[in-house]
Amino acid sequence: MPHILIVEDEPRIAAFLEKGLQSSGFVTTTVSDGAQAVPMAIDGNFDLIVLDLGLPKKDGLMVLEEIRGQGAQIPVLILTARDDIQDKVTGFESGADDYLTKPFRFEELLVRVRARLRPAMAASAQANDLTLRQGNISLDLRTHKVKIDDRPIELSAREFTMLEVFMRNPGQVVSREQLLNSVWGYDYDPGSNVVDVYVGYLRKKIGSSAIETVRGMGYRWR
């Protein structure tokens, strides 16, 4: 299972990343300052780094330059509020593999993480099947294809991510807030009924009995 180092000093975003990546099948370790991140990135057994730039003690670009200077080839995805084109150019010139600006949607971050980890995940797939199965439903994490009894089902990106959350937590109540965090990201309207709407979409496509409403709490995958 890929291990991701999160370097982020804002607790809300760090917690959001941890929850989302862990629910998507990754192991995470989080640090909140650049000075702590450098030795961990060089000596730790990580498969990818999600790196903020505006860090205390040591700026993210300095962290990146130091780990590249030590010969570490671990993929680095910069996640930052700095959206100026020159910042992006500097990030890539310093050794970043990808650059994503805040605010962001978790599904986009997840796609980028998987793209950078694809070689390692492909090797791991020889020993670990990357297909989730519950009853007669299968969800392929590599191809983003869903089947019911070997019959393909067309899902949007958000429907797929929501279904993945449910299938990773069978029998457990998943709150609307958890689904908003995992599918829409941290920058959402908590008063929106978008979760209920998308649950309705899923029920129409995979069967109304698969997702149970738990009144006042959320939903549960049967």
Side-chain angles (χ1 to χ4, degrees):
M1 190 176 294
H3 192 170
I4 297 175
L5 176 64
I6 300 168
V7 189
E8 171 62 61
D9 66 319
E10 188 172 331
R12 180 166 168 253
I13 297 179
F16 167 70
L17 290 170
E18 287 178 341
K19 183 188 297 184
L21 290 170
Q22 289 172 12
S23 70
S24 300
F26 300 103
V27 177
T28 64
T29 297
T30 301
V31 295
S32 59
D33 67 74
Q36 192 178 3
V38 172
M40 293 186 68
I42 295 172
D43 300 329
N45 188 26
F46 296 102
D47 299 288
L48 181 138
I49 301 172
V50 176
L51 177 67
D52 186 19
L53 293 185
L55 296 168
K57 298 185 179 180
K58 187 169 291 188
D59 182 83
L61 287 176
M62 293 179 63
V63 172
L64 184 55
E65 291 169 356
E66 285 191 33
I67 65 175
R68 290 296 186 241
Q70 293 290 325
Q73 298 303 310
I74 179 174
V76 175
L77 189 163
I78 290 178
L79 181 63
T80 179
R82 300 180 190 174
D83 59 359
D84 186 82
I85 186 62
Q86 187 55 50
D87 290 320
K88 295 180 182 181
V89 170
T90 302
F92 283 113
E93 288 180 343
S94 299
D97 297 277
D98 205 346
Y99 195 109
L100 182 62
T101 57
K102 303 172 184 175
F104 64 98
R105 299 297 185 188
F106 181 75
E107 62 183 1
E108 181 180 0
L109 176 104
L110 186 60
V111 166
R112 291 169 181 256
V113 165
R114 285 177 171 157
R116 293 302 161 190
L117 289 173
R118 192 167 291 134
M121 292 174 72
S124 175
Q126 297 177 0
N128 299 288
D129 191 3
L130 291 178
T131 300
L132 300 178
R133 292 184 176 86
Q134 296 287 338
N136 63 342
I137 300 176
S138 64
L139 182 150
D140 193 314
L141 300 173
R142 291 161 293 185
T143 63
H144 270 222
K145 292 182 178 179
V146 177
K147 293 182 179 180
I148 299 179
D149 292 327
D150 294 325
R151 176 173 58 90
I153 303 297
E154 292 295 326
L155 297 182
S156 69
R158 286 199 170 109
E159 289 168 348
F160 183 95
T161 304
M162 178 176 281
L163 180 59
E164 180 181 348
V165 173
F166 280 127
M167 292 182 69
R168 288 190 182 278
N169 299 277
Q172 300 179 36
V173 176
V174 181
S175 70
R176 287 177 175 82
E177 183 182 48
Q178 287 175 296
L179 289 168
L180 281 168
N181 280 336
S182 297
V183 181
W184 282 270
Y186 71 93
D187 188 25
Y188 61 81
D189 176 8
S192 170
N193 69 339
V194 67
V195 168
D196 308 281
V197 171
Y198 271 77
V199 167
Y201 292 160
L202 273 182
R203 283 171 168 163
K204 289 179 181 179
K205 293 182 178 183
I206 65 176
S208 59
S209 63
I211 304 172
E212 174 188 7
T213 299
V214 182
R215 191 174 299 276
M217 298 179 67
Y219 297 95
R220 177 164 50 217
W221 179 261
R222 290 180 173 177

